[in-house]
Amino acid sequence: MDLEHTQVGIVGAGPAGLMLGHLLHLHGIDTVVIEDRSQDYVVDRVRAGVLEQGTVDLMRECGLGDRLAREGLRHDGIYIAFRGARHRIDMAALTGGRTITVYGQNEVVKDLIAARQATACATHWDVDDVAVSNPEAGGTAAGGPSISFTQAGRRRMLRCDFIAGCDGFHGVCRPSIPPSRRTFYERTYPFAWLGILAEAAPASEELVYSLHDRGFALFSMRSPTVTRLYLQCPPDDDIAAWSDDRIWSELKTRLRTADGWEPYEGAITQKSITPMRSFVADPMRDGRLFLAGDAAHIVPPTGAKGLNLAMADVWRLSQALAEFYRGGRTDALDAYSARGVRRTWLAQRFSWWMTSMLHRSESRNPFDHERQLAELDYLVSSQAAMTSLAENYVGTPLA
Ligand code: APR
Ligand code: PHB
């Protein structure tokens, strides 16, 4: 078996793993990233697109701010639409100037891969049969952490001081923690999101979240020529049942407002249905294995928190590892999980609130719908309520 050594072995080359590798490199800490998909697959995966203020600040502070500043779409506010009217929430005004920036996750990943390629840090793409060994966690046999994997038909082992589990919800790192040492919290929702990318100029400068009698819809964007749209659908819905015409008809019905506003149509270049769930793994650490990003938590996309929670995790972990290597201190490493789990639950609360307020219940109970409309009516008529949404949406400083 080929043997490799590094300080921090990172499983997963999504936003969490790549950002962690970048931040640790800036601290002079050596990493190896191990990814079971190809680089093209990782780059082309269509995912989130909203960066909180803290994520934008992090990108800039770690030298990845140039293209983001040129191509990112900075938004001061969002619209909430119901009863045929759009109501703008001026988040910048309500939060002392904090804003969001629309910049596809693909772009974040491209920037991180380019930064990593400019270093001597190794990334193993397209590997198979990844397994992690974390012997100290259970106080068992000696021997440090290691990650084994198959590459080009050869079994390889990476020995490391620490393992960062950045391998997403379906990875192998979280399941490597035995039930006796962890608790999982999970909630599934009785609906999913059908999402499309369309070659159509955005019909609004800012995002529009809409609750319609037929269900939720979201208007977003990726660039001056690409619109991103979502609509609520049953969790077991089949994308094959959604022709382009049916998608546009439903989106316009749910988003159109009395003043005539509606999204522009265009060629649909990507469509998919994504189930909705909330998930929290506690703790986010087991011995020398640290979980970050979707490996540790999943939030409903309504609050646009997934990517941003992942960035907060890896910023916190990079700071703690830098303290360890710089001076042998472990207090930040010991605090990593509690701080991460607390931030995760605050994001879960906000994402659940946004989701529950904006999606038609499965029962379509009229009482629930009127209550939701009253919640929205209160939201857009109360400075305090809009401030609460704004400070959660633009995000709190990384911690
Ligand atoms: N071995 C190696 N790599 C793996 C394994 C494995 N066993 N299992 C999964 N991976 C890889 C995936 O192919 C993916 O590239 O780990 C990476 C995990 O990336 P994401 O799922 O994007 O999760 P994360 O980096 O935490 O990003 C979180 O970005 O992807 C969005 O919805 C996500 O908004 C969330 C944020
Ligand atoms: C997106 O643009 O993909 C997006 C925006 C806001 C959300 C979720 C997704 O809440």
Side-chain angles (χ1 to χ4, degrees), residues 132-155:
V132 294
S133 170
N134 177 22
E136 283 182 42
T140 55
S146 66
I147 306 168
S148 53
F149 57 97
T150 300
Q151 187 175 41
R154 293 179 60 85
R155 199 68 185 148

Side-chain angles (χ1 to χ4, degrees), residues 78 89 91 350 353-354 379 385-393:
I78 57 171
I89 297 181
M91 299 190 293
F350 174 67
W353 174 71
M354 285 281 279
L379 169 64
M386 286 188 285
T387 302
S388 174
L389 182 150
E391 63 186 19
N392 281 280
Y393 198 90

Side-chain angles (χ1 to χ4, degrees), residues 10-19 33-38 41-42 45-49 105 109 124-125 127-131 147-149 165-173 292-299 301 304-311 313-314:
I10 300 174
V11 186
L18 290 170
M19 178 56 88
V33 171
I34 293 168
E35 165 62 47
D36 69 352
R37 296 283 190 162
S38 70
Y41 179 92
V42 168
R45 209 167 24 201
V46 178
R47 288 281 186 74
Q105 168 175 310
V109 166
H124 299 304
W125 301 97
V127 306
D128 294 307
D129 305 320
V130 176
I147 306 168
S148 53
F149 57 97
C166 302
D167 49 346
F169 186 68
H170 301 289
V172 296
C173 289
D294 275 16
H297 39 65
I298 296 286
V299 284
K305 291 296 157 203
L307 179 58
N308 296 292
L309 261 183
M311 294 296 107
D313 288 344
V314 296

